[in-house]
Amino acid sequence: METSNKEKLSAQIVDTRKEITELTESELKEVEEIAKQYGRDSWKYSAYLKKNFKHIGEEIPENIPFSEYHDYILRNFRITKPMKEWTDIDYKVNNSWQKRLLVLFSIKEHGWKEPFDDRQKRIIERVRNGTDYDILADECPEWFQ
């Protein structure tokens, strides 16, 4: 029995990155070296964190309607301390937070309407449960199908 294209795409999405909050001392030193080399506000630093580490953000409760995800994220998932006090983890959390909002913006721009197909449901579920995928890159190829 042959697998469908959707099953193949779903099987391709395997995240082997380590959770940013579970780094070893040597990994923390490596992150610090990259931060010193490029600066924490650089795109290279952000790309390094995204490529090598994941962050599973807080879940949006299942009783929140999809249409309210954007406002819920803005109200509830912000880093409140000043940026000058941010750690590498805070930068990664912020990057993941921005990606969730970008996905929601992209969904709105593409005019997705209910009922959602299976691919759309999987993407929406990643936003809801905080899965840290860059939907605009190769990490989630189904976005472009």
Side-chain angles (χ1 to χ4, degrees):
M1 185 157 127
E2 195 171 317
T3 58
S4 71
N5 282 341
K6 284 187 181 182
E7 289 172 329
K8 288 178 187 175
L9 287 173
S10 182
Q12 291 174 359
I13 302 172
V14 176
D15 193 352
T16 58
R17 298 173 299 166
K18 190 171 191 174
E19 170 70 48
I20 188 77
T21 58
E22 301 170 350
L23 301 183
T24 63
E25 279 297 315
S26 63
E27 289 167 327
L28 285 170
K29 288 178 183 177
E30 184 179 343
V31 169
E32 188 60 33
E33 287 300 314
I34 297 294
K36 286 179 185 174
Q37 183 178 358
Y38 297 112
R40 284 193 164 87
D41 290 333
S42 73
W43 67 269
K44 286 187 177 187
Y45 174 73
S46 179
Y48 172 82
L49 289 178
K50 179 173 61 175
K51 178 181 175 199
N52 295 292
F53 306 106
K54 66 183 172 183
H55 169 68
I56 304 301
E58 295 179 62
E59 287 194 11
I60 298 170
E62 290 186 11
N63 64 341
I64 303 293
F66 171 68
S67 60
E68 296 177 20
Y69 282 12
H70 186 273
D71 291 340
Y72 188 88
I73 290 169
L74 285 176
R75 280 193 316 269
N76 297 291
F77 299 152
R78 288 189 164 251
I79 299 172
T80 57
K81 61 184 169 184
M83 195 175 213
K84 65 182 178 186
E85 297 175 15
W86 284 13
T87 65
D88 298 311
I89 292 171
D90 294 323
Y91 276 92
K92 180 60 181 161
V93 168
N94 186 63
N95 188 15
S96 298
W97 176 81
Q98 289 176 344
K99 291 296 180 196
R100 285 171 100 173
L101 294 174
L102 182 59
V103 171
L104 292 170
F105 176 78
S106 297
I107 287 171
K108 182 179 178 183
E109 287 297 302
H110 285 96
W112 290 8
K113 302 280 186 229
E114 291 192 59
F116 301 118
D117 64 27
D118 288 342
R119 175 185 60 87
Q120 292 169 330
K121 287 177 184 176
R122 285 193 305 271
I123 292 169
I124 290 168
E125 177 58 18
R126 285 189 197 108
V127 172
R128 190 199 69 73
N129 70 20
T131 303
D132 178 30
Y133 279 107
D134 181 0
I135 57 89
L136 300 176
D138 294 341
E139 296 162 14
C140 189
E142 67 185 53
W143 179 257
F144 297 106
Q145 302 302 319

